[in-house]
Amino acid sequence: MRENFEGENTFEEIQSKTGIEKQPLIDIYFNTGAPEPYEFLIIEKAVGKEPGEMMKVCVEKYPVKKRKE
């Protein structure tokens, strides 16, 4: 997700535009934790991406694996 925080979209600008607290943004940046879907949407809007782009990347990178029961 780091590509969303580079160039014109600095960490501070995204935080200011979205109102997301510092720790959740750090978790998204370093791919730790479990970001909420709405956080992806407001970051996408703030950086000018299409809705769902970040979620798609996240789901493809970390697919849900079903356990055998």
Coordinates of all heavy atoms in Angstrom, one line a residue:
M1 N 0.8 -1.2 0.0 CA 0.0 0.0 0.0 C 0.9 1.3 0.0 O 0.3 2.3 0.0 CB -0.9 0.0 1.2 CG -1.8 -1.2 1.3 SD -3.0 -1.2 0.0 CE -3.3 -3.0 -0.1
R2 N 2.1 1.1 0.1 CA 3.0 2.2 0.2 C 2.9 3.2 -1.1 O 3.1 4.4 -0.9 CB 4.5 1.8 0.3 CG 4.7 1.2 1.7 CD 6.1 0.7 1.8 NE 6.3 0.0 3.1 CZ 7.4 -0.3 3.6 NH1 8.5 -0.1 3.0 NH2 7.4 -1.0 4.7
E3 N 2.6 2.6 -2.2 CA 2.5 3.4 -3.4 C 1.5 4.6 -3.3 O 1.6 5.6 -4.0 CB 2.3 2.6 -4.6 CG 0.9 1.9 -4.6 CD 1.0 0.5 -3.9 OE1 2.1 0.1 -3.4 OE2 -0.1 -0.1 -3.8
N4 N 0.5 4.4 -2.4 CA -0.5 5.4 -2.2 C 0.0 6.6 -1.3 O -0.7 7.6 -1.3 CB -1.8 4.8 -1.5 CG -2.4 3.8 -2.4 OD1 -2.7 4.0 -3.6 ND2 -2.4 2.5 -2.0
F5 N 1.1 6.4 -0.7 CA 1.6 7.4 0.2 C 2.9 8.1 -0.4 O 3.6 8.8 0.4 CB 2.0 6.8 1.6 CG 0.9 6.3 2.3 CD1 0.3 5.0 2.1 CD2 0.3 7.1 3.3 CE1 -0.8 4.6 2.8 CE2 -0.8 6.6 4.1 CZ -1.3 5.4 3.8
E6 N 3.1 8.0 -1.6 CA 4.3 8.6 -2.2 C 3.9 9.7 -3.2 O 2.8 9.9 -3.6 CB 5.1 7.5 -3.0 CG 5.6 6.4 -2.0 CD 6.2 5.2 -2.8 OE1 6.2 5.2 -4.0 OE2 6.8 4.4 -2.1
G7 N 4.9 10.4 -3.6 CA 4.7 11.5 -4.6 C 4.0 12.7 -4.0 O 4.4 13.2 -2.9
E8 N 2.9 13.1 -4.6 CA 2.2 14.2 -4.1 C 1.4 13.9 -2.9 O 1.0 14.8 -2.1 CB 1.2 14.6 -5.2 CG 1.8 15.1 -6.5 CD 0.7 15.4 -7.6 OE1 -0.5 15.4 -7.3 OE2 1.2 15.7 -8.7
N9 N 1.2 12.6 -2.6 CA 0.3 12.2 -1.5 C 1.2 11.8 -0.3 O 1.4 10.6 0.0 CB -0.6 11.0 -1.9 CG -1.4 11.4 -3.1 OD1 -2.1 12.4 -3.0 ND2 -1.4 10.6 -4.1
T10 N 1.7 12.8 0.4 CA 2.5 12.5 1.6 C 1.6 11.9 2.7 O 0.4 12.1 2.7 CB 3.3 13.7 2.1 OG1 2.3 14.7 2.6 CG2 4.1 14.3 1.0
F11 N 2.2 11.3 3.7 CA 1.5 10.7 4.8 C 0.7 11.8 5.5 O -0.5 11.6 5.8 CB 2.6 10.2 5.8 CG 2.0 9.4 6.9 CD1 1.6 8.1 6.8 CD2 1.7 10.0 8.1 CE1 1.1 7.4 7.8 CE2 1.2 9.3 9.2 CZ 0.9 8.0 9.0
E12 N 1.3 13.0 5.7 CA 0.6 14.1 6.4 C -0.6 14.6 5.6 O -1.6 14.9 6.2 CB 1.6 15.2 6.7 CG 2.6 14.9 7.7 CD 3.8 14.1 7.2 OE1 4.0 14.0 5.9 OE2 4.5 13.5 8.0
E13 N -0.4 14.7 4.3 CA -1.6 15.1 3.4 C -2.7 14.1 3.5 O -3.9 14.6 3.6 CB -1.1 15.3 2.0 CG -0.2 16.5 1.8 CD 0.3 16.7 0.4 OE1 0.2 15.7 -0.4 OE2 0.9 17.7 0.1
I14 N -2.4 12.9 3.4 CA -3.5 11.9 3.5 C -4.2 11.9 4.8 O -5.4 11.8 4.9 CB -2.9 10.4 3.2 CG1 -2.5 10.4 1.7 CG2 -4.0 9.4 3.5 CD1 -1.8 9.1 1.3
Q15 N -3.4 12.0 5.9 CA -4.0 12.1 7.2 C -4.9 13.4 7.3 O -6.0 13.3 7.9 CB -2.9 12.2 8.3 CG -3.4 12.1 9.7 CD -2.3 12.0 10.7 OE1 -1.2 12.3 10.4 NE2 -2.7 11.6 11.9
S16 N -4.4 14.5 6.8 CA -5.2 15.7 6.8 C -6.5 15.6 6.0 O -7.6 16.0 6.4 CB -4.3 16.8 6.4 OG -5.0 17.7 5.6
K17 N -6.4 15.0 4.8 CA -7.6 14.9 3.9 C -8.6 13.9 4.4 O -9.8 14.1 4.2 CB -7.1 14.5 2.5 CG -6.4 15.5 1.7 CD -6.0 15.0 0.4 CE -5.2 16.0 -0.4 NZ -4.7 15.4 -1.7
T18 N -8.1 12.8 5.1 CA -9.0 11.7 5.4 C -9.5 11.8 6.9 O -10.6 11.3 7.2 CB -8.4 10.3 5.3 OG1 -7.2 10.3 6.1 CG2 -7.9 10.1 3.8
G19 N -8.7 12.4 7.7 CA -9.1 12.4 9.2 C -8.8 11.1 9.9 O -9.2 10.9 11.0
I20 N -8.2 10.2 9.2 CA -7.8 8.9 9.8 C -6.7 9.1 10.8 O -5.7 9.8 10.5 CB -7.4 7.9 8.8 CG1 -8.6 7.6 7.8 CG2 -6.9 6.6 9.4 CD1 -8.2 6.7 6.7
E21 N -6.8 8.5 12.0 CA -5.8 8.6 13.0 C -4.4 8.1 12.5 O -4.4 7.3 11.6 CB -6.2 7.9 14.3 CG -7.4 8.4 14.9 CD -7.2 9.8 15.5 OE1 -6.1 10.1 16.0 OE2 -8.2 10.6 15.5
K22 N -3.4 8.5 13.2 CA -2.0 8.2 12.7 C -1.8 6.6 12.7 O -1.2 6.1 11.8 CB -1.0 8.8 13.6 CG 0.4 8.6 13.2 CD 1.4 9.4 14.1 CE 2.8 9.3 13.6 NZ 3.8 10.1 14.3
Q23 N -2.1 6.0 13.8 CA -1.8 4.5 13.9 C -2.5 3.7 12.8 O -1.8 2.9 12.2 CB -2.2 4.0 15.3 CG -1.6 2.6 15.5 CD -0.1 2.5 15.3 OE1 0.6 3.2 15.9 NE2 0.3 1.5 14.5
P24 N -3.8 3.9 12.5 CA -4.3 3.1 11.4 C -3.6 3.4 10.0 O -3.5 2.4 9.2 CB -5.8 3.5 11.3 CG -6.1 4.0 12.7 CD -4.8 4.6 13.2
L25 N -3.2 4.6 9.8 CA -2.5 4.9 8.6 C -1.1 4.2 8.6 O -0.7 3.7 7.5 CB -2.3 6.4 8.4 CG -3.5 7.2 7.9 CD1 -3.2 8.7 7.8 CD2 -4.0 6.7 6.5
I26 N -0.5 4.2 9.7 CA 0.8 3.4 9.8 C 0.6 2.0 9.5 O 1.4 1.3 8.8 CB 1.5 3.7 11.2 CG1 1.9 5.1 11.3 CG2 2.6 2.7 11.4 CD1 2.4 5.5 12.7
D27 N -0.5 1.4 10.1 CA -0.8 0.0 9.9 C -1.0 -0.3 8.4 O -0.6 -1.3 7.8 CB -2.0 -0.5 10.7 CG -1.8 -0.5 12.2 OD1 -0.6 -0.5 12.6 OD2 -2.7 -0.4 12.9
I28 N -1.8 0.6 7.7 CA -2.0 0.4 6.3 C -0.7 0.5 5.5 O -0.4 -0.3 4.6 CB -3.1 1.4 5.8 CG1 -4.4 1.1 6.4 CG2 -3.1 1.4 4.2 CD1 -5.5 2.2 6.2
Y29 N 0.1 1.5 5.8 CA 1.4 1.7 5.1 C 2.3 0.5 5.2 O 2.9 0.1 4.2 CB 2.1 3.0 5.7 CG 3.4 3.3 5.0 CD1 3.3 4.1 3.8 CD2 4.6 3.0 5.6 CE1 4.5 4.4 3.2 CE2 5.8 3.3 4.9 CZ 5.7 4.0 3.8 OH 6.9 4.3 3.1
F30 N 2.4 -0.1 6.4 CA 3.3 -1.2 6.6 C 2.6 -2.5 6.5 O 3.2 -3.6 6.8 CB 4.0 -1.1 8.0 CG 5.0 0.0 8.1 CD1 4.7 1.1 8.8 CD2 6.2 -0.1 7.4 CE1 5.6 2.2 8.9 CE2 7.1 1.0 7.5 CZ 6.8 2.1 8.3
N31 N 1.4 -2.6 6.0 CA 0.6 -3.8 5.8 C 0.5 -4.7 7.0 O 0.7 -5.9 7.0 CB 1.3 -4.6 4.6 CG 1.2 -4.0 3.3 OD1 0.2 -3.3 3.0 ND2 2.2 -4.1 2.5
T32 N 0.2 -4.0 8.1 CA 0.0 -4.7 9.4 C -1.4 -4.4 9.9 O -2.0 -3.4 9.4 CB 1.0 -4.3 10.5 OG1 0.9 -2.9 10.7 CG2 2.5 -4.6 10.0
G33 N -1.9 -5.2 10.8 CA -3.2 -4.9 11.3 C -4.3 -5.3 10.3 O -4.1 -6.0 9.3
A34 N -5.5 -4.8 10.5 CA -6.7 -5.1 9.7 C -7.4 -3.8 9.4 O -8.3 -3.5 10.2 CB -7.6 -6.2 10.3
P35 N -7.1 -3.2 8.3 CA -7.8 -1.9 8.0 C -9.3 -2.1 7.7 O -9.7 -3.1 7.2 CB -7.1 -1.4 6.8 CG -6.2 -2.5 6.3 CD -6.1 -3.5 7.3
E36 N -10.0 -1.1 8.1 CA -11.5 -1.2 7.8 C -11.7 -0.8 6.3 O -11.0 0.0 5.7 CB -12.2 -0.1 8.7 CG -12.1 -0.4 10.1 CD -12.9 -1.6 10.5 OE1 -13.9 -1.9 9.9 OE2 -12.6 -2.3 11.5
P37 N -12.7 -1.4 5.7 CA -13.0 -1.1 4.3 C -13.2 0.4 4.0 O -12.8 0.9 3.0 CB -14.2 -1.9 3.9 CG -14.2 -3.0 4.9 CD -13.6 -2.5 6.1
Y38 N -13.9 1.1 4.9 CA -14.1 2.5 4.7 C -12.8 3.3 4.7 O -12.8 4.4 4.0 CB -15.1 3.1 5.8 CG -14.5 3.3 7.1 CD1 -13.9 4.5 7.4 CD2 -14.5 2.3 8.1 CE1 -13.3 4.8 8.7 CE2 -14.0 2.6 9.4 CZ -13.4 3.8 9.6 OH -12.8 4.0 10.9
E39 N -11.8 2.9 5.4 CA -10.5 3.5 5.4 C -9.9 3.5 4.0 O -9.4 4.5 3.5 CB -9.6 2.9 6.4 CG -10.0 3.2 7.9 CD -9.2 2.5 8.9 OE1 -8.7 1.4 8.6 OE2 -9.1 3.0 10.0
F40 N -10.0 2.3 3.4 CA -9.5 2.2 2.0 C -10.3 3.2 1.1 O -9.7 3.9 0.3 CB -9.7 0.8 1.4 CG -8.7 -0.2 1.9 CD1 -9.1 -1.5 2.3 CD2 -7.4 0.1 2.0 CE1 -8.2 -2.4 2.7 CE2 -6.4 -0.8 2.4 CZ -6.9 -2.1 2.8
L41 N -11.6 3.3 1.2 CA -12.4 4.1 0.4 C -12.0 5.6 0.5 O -11.9 6.3 -0.5 CB -13.9 3.9 0.6 CG -14.5 2.6 0.1 CD1 -15.9 2.4 0.6 CD2 -14.4 2.6 -1.4
I42 N -11.9 6.1 1.8 CA -11.6 7.5 1.9 C -10.1 7.8 1.5 O -9.9 8.9 1.0 CB -11.9 8.0 3.3 CG1 -11.2 7.3 4.4 CG2 -13.4 8.0 3.5 CD1 -11.5 7.9 5.8
I43 N -9.2 6.9 1.6 CA -7.9 7.1 1.1 C -7.9 7.1 -0.4 O -7.2 8.0 -1.0 CB -6.9 6.0 1.7 CG1 -6.7 6.1 3.2 CG2 -5.5 6.1 0.9 CD1 -5.9 5.0 3.8
E44 N -8.6 6.2 -1.0 CA -8.7 6.2 -2.5 C -9.3 7.5 -3.0 O -8.8 8.1 -3.9 CB -9.6 5.1 -2.9 CG -9.0 3.7 -2.8 CD -9.9 2.6 -2.9 OE1 -11.2 2.8 -2.8 OE2 -9.4 1.4 -3.1
K45 N -10.3 8.0 -2.3 CA -10.9 9.3 -2.7 C -9.9 10.4 -2.5 O -9.7 11.3 -3.4 CB -12.1 9.6 -1.9 CG -12.9 10.8 -2.4 CD -14.2 11.0 -1.7 CE -14.9 12.2 -2.2 NZ -16.2 12.3 -1.7
A46 N -9.1 10.4 -1.4 CA -8.1 11.5 -1.1 C -7.0 11.5 -2.1 O -6.5 12.6 -2.4 CB -7.6 11.3 0.3
V47 N -6.6 10.3 -2.6 CA -5.4 10.3 -3.6 C -5.8 10.2 -5.0 O -5.0 10.1 -5.9 CB -4.5 9.1 -3.2 CG1 -3.9 9.3 -1.8 CG2 -5.1 7.8 -3.4
G48 N -7.1 10.2 -5.3 CA -7.6 10.2 -6.7 C -7.6 8.8 -7.4 O -7.5 8.7 -8.6
K49 N -7.8 7.8 -6.6 CA -7.9 6.4 -7.2 C -9.4 6.0 -7.4 O -10.2 6.6 -6.8 CB -7.2 5.4 -6.3 CG -5.7 5.5 -6.3 CD -5.1 4.3 -5.7 CE -3.6 4.4 -5.8 NZ -3.1 3.9 -7.0
E50 N -9.6 5.0 -8.1 CA -10.9 4.5 -8.3 C -11.4 3.7 -7.1 O -10.5 3.1 -6.4 CB -11.0 3.5 -9.5 CG -10.8 4.2 -10.9 CD -11.9 5.1 -11.2 OE1 -13.1 4.8 -11.0 OE2 -11.6 6.2 -11.7
P51 N -12.7 3.8 -6.7 CA -13.1 3.0 -5.5 C -12.9 1.6 -5.7 O -13.2 1.0 -6.8 CB -14.6 3.4 -5.5 CG -14.8 4.6 -6.3 CD -13.7 4.6 -7.3
G52 N -12.3 0.9 -4.7 CA -12.1 -0.5 -4.8 C -10.7 -0.9 -5.2 O -10.3 -2.1 -5.0
E53 N -9.9 0.0 -5.7 CA -8.5 -0.3 -6.1 C -7.6 -0.9 -5.0 O -7.0 -1.9 -5.2 CB -7.8 0.9 -6.7 CG -8.1 1.1 -8.2 CD -7.2 2.2 -8.7 OE1 -5.9 2.0 -8.8 OE2 -7.7 3.3 -9.1
M54 N -7.6 -0.2 -3.9 CA -6.8 -0.7 -2.8 C -7.3 -2.0 -2.2 O -6.5 -2.8 -1.8 CB -6.7 0.4 -1.7 CG -5.9 1.6 -2.0 SD -5.9 2.9 -0.8 CE -5.0 2.1 0.5
M55 N -8.6 -2.1 -2.1 CA -9.2 -3.3 -1.5 C -8.9 -4.5 -2.4 O -8.5 -5.6 -1.9 CB -10.7 -3.2 -1.4 CG -11.4 -4.4 -0.8 SD -10.9 -4.7 0.9 CE -11.8 -3.5 1.8
K56 N -9.0 -4.3 -3.7 CA -8.6 -5.4 -4.7 C -7.2 -5.8 -4.5 O -6.9 -7.0 -4.4 CB -8.8 -4.9 -6.1 CG -8.6 -6.0 -7.1 CD -8.8 -5.5 -8.5 CE -8.4 -6.6 -9.5 NZ -8.1 -6.1 -10.8
V57 N -6.3 -4.9 -4.4 CA -4.9 -5.2 -4.2 C -4.7 -6.0 -2.8 O -4.0 -7.0 -2.8 CB -4.0 -4.0 -4.2 CG1 -2.6 -4.3 -3.7 CG2 -4.0 -3.4 -5.6
C58 N -5.3 -5.5 -1.8 CA -5.2 -6.2 -0.5 C -5.8 -7.6 -0.5 O -5.2 -8.5 0.0 CB -6.0 -5.4 0.5 SG -5.8 -6.0 2.2
V59 N -6.9 -7.8 -1.1 CA -7.6 -9.1 -1.2 C -6.7 -10.1 -2.1 O -6.6 -11.3 -1.7 CB -9.0 -9.0 -1.7 CG1 -9.6 -10.4 -2.1 CG2 -9.9 -8.3 -0.7
E60 N -6.1 -9.6 -3.1 CA -5.3 -10.4 -4.0 C -4.0 -10.8 -3.3 O -3.5 -11.9 -3.4 CB -5.0 -9.7 -5.3 CG -6.2 -9.7 -6.2 CD -5.9 -8.8 -7.5 OE1 -4.9 -8.1 -7.5 OE2 -6.8 -8.9 -8.4
K61 N -3.5 -9.9 -2.5 CA -2.2 -10.1 -1.8 C -2.4 -11.0 -0.6 O -1.5 -11.8 -0.3 CB -1.6 -8.8 -1.4 CG -0.2 -8.9 -0.9 CD 0.4 -7.5 -0.7 CE 1.9 -7.6 -0.4 NZ 2.5 -6.3 -0.3
Y62 N -3.5 -10.8 0.1 CA -3.8 -11.6 1.3 C -5.1 -12.3 1.2 O -6.1 -11.9 1.9 CB -3.8 -10.7 2.5 CG -2.5 -9.9 2.7 CD1 -2.4 -8.6 2.3 CD2 -1.3 -10.5 3.2 CE1 -1.2 -7.9 2.5 CE2 -0.2 -9.8 3.3 CZ -0.1 -8.5 2.9 OH 1.1 -7.8 3.1
P63 N -5.3 -13.4 0.4 CA -6.6 -14.0 0.2 C -7.0 -14.7 1.5 O -6.2 -15.1 2.3 CB -6.3 -15.0 -0.9 CG -4.8 -15.3 -0.9 CD -4.2 -14.0 -0.4
V64 N -8.3 -14.8 1.6 CA -8.8 -15.5 2.8 C -8.7 -17.0 2.5 O -9.1 -17.6 1.5 CB -10.3 -15.2 3.0 CG1 -10.9 -16.0 4.1 CG2 -10.5 -13.7 3.2
K65 N -8.1 -17.7 3.5 CA -7.9 -19.2 3.3 C -8.8 -19.9 4.3 O -8.9 -19.6 5.5 CB -6.4 -19.5 3.7 CG -5.5 -18.9 2.7 CD -4.0 -19.2 3.1 CE -3.1 -18.5 2.2 NZ -1.7 -18.8 2.5
K66 N -9.6 -20.8 3.7 CA -10.5 -21.6 4.5 C -9.8 -22.7 5.2 O -8.9 -23.4 4.6 CB -11.6 -22.1 3.6 CG -12.5 -21.1 3.0 CD -13.6 -21.7 2.3 CE -14.5 -20.6 1.7 NZ -15.6 -21.2 0.9
R67 N -10.2 -22.9 6.5 CA -9.6 -24.0 7.2 C -10.4 -25.3 7.0 O -11.6 -25.2 6.8 CB -9.6 -23.7 8.7 CG -8.6 -22.6 9.1 CD -8.5 -22.5 10.5 NE -9.6 -21.6 11.0 CZ -9.9 -21.3 12.2 NH1 -9.3 -21.9 13.2 NH2 -10.9 -20.4 12.5
K68 N -9.8 -26.4 7.1 CA -10.5 -27.7 7.0 C -11.2 -27.9 8.4 O -10.6 -27.7 9.4 CB -9.5 -28.8 6.7 CG -9.0 -28.7 5.3 CD -8.0 -29.9 5.0 CE -7.4 -29.7 3.7 NZ -6.5 -30.8 3.4
E69 N -12.4 -28.4 8.3 CA -13.1 -28.6 9.6 C -13.2 -30.1 9.8 O -13.2 -30.9 9.0 CB -14.5 -28.0 9.5 CG -14.4 -26.5 9.5 CD -15.7 -25.8 9.4 OE1 -16.7 -26.4 9.8 OE2 -15.8 -24.6 9.0

